[in-house]
Amino acid sequence: RAVCAAADGRVPNKYIRALAVDPSGALLIGTFTGVARYDGNQVEVLVDFLKDGFSEARLTTLAVAPDGGVWVGTDKGLLTEDGGGWKLLTTADGLLTNYISALHVDQYGAVWVGGGGSNFDGGGMLQIVP
């Protein structure tokens, strides 16, 4: 059903780039331009880059924390919810690069961020501790 949801426009884009499962068992669908949650019955768009102010960004990866927090890697930085909406973290916030190529949230809620897409945009790995 999730693939059908992508095909009929209920997710931000039909090009699916990443999948994750949240603590409730719902499937998070990371598309080229956003993220949706599919609980087996309904699709809920969590962030649509084109509508929510991130139109230049493209999703590269995503991860879910044990508390259900969603982290979205893009080619322009790291998106996270800050309680009042989505916030884009960049090198100005301490990231090593704006191209996020890998994400992992460990059992303690620490976010491991791998970055770098080419020889021109830097790279490395860092840990964000809650």
Side-chain angles (χ1 to χ4, degrees):
R1 291 164 89 175
V3 173
C4 293
D8 71 8
R10 288 185 279 165
V11 296
N13 190 289
K14 67 181 179 179
Y15 181 35
I16 297 172
R17 304 212 47 191
L19 299 171
V21 177
D22 74 12
S24 74
L27 178 66
L28 294 183
I29 305 166
T31 72
F32 198 56
T33 58
V35 179
R37 177 181 285 124
Y38 176 63
D39 67 4
N41 294 310
Q42 298 182 75
V43 174
E44 171 193 9
V45 175
L46 301 181
V47 60
D48 183 326
F49 298 173
L50 302 177
K51 294 178 183 175
D52 295 329
F54 309 108
S55 62
E56 299 297 316
R58 300 296 174 254
L59 185 139
T60 55
T61 186
L62 72 102
V64 181
D67 67 0
V70 178
W71 294 83
V72 181
T74 78
D75 62 345
K76 302 295 183 210
L78 181 63
L79 279 169
T80 186
E81 287 184 285
D82 67 358
W86 289 89
K87 178 181 180 180
L88 183 68
L89 303 174
T90 67
T91 53
D93 301 296
L95 295 181
L96 300 173
T97 177
N98 288 330
Y99 192 101
I100 308 305
S101 54
L103 283 175
H104 174 73
V105 182
D106 66 24
Q107 69 270 25
Y108 305 108
V111 181
W112 294 86
V113 182
S118 73
N119 291 332
F120 303 108
D121 57 14
M125 185 173 79
L126 67 88
Q127 181 188 37
I128 300 171
V129 179

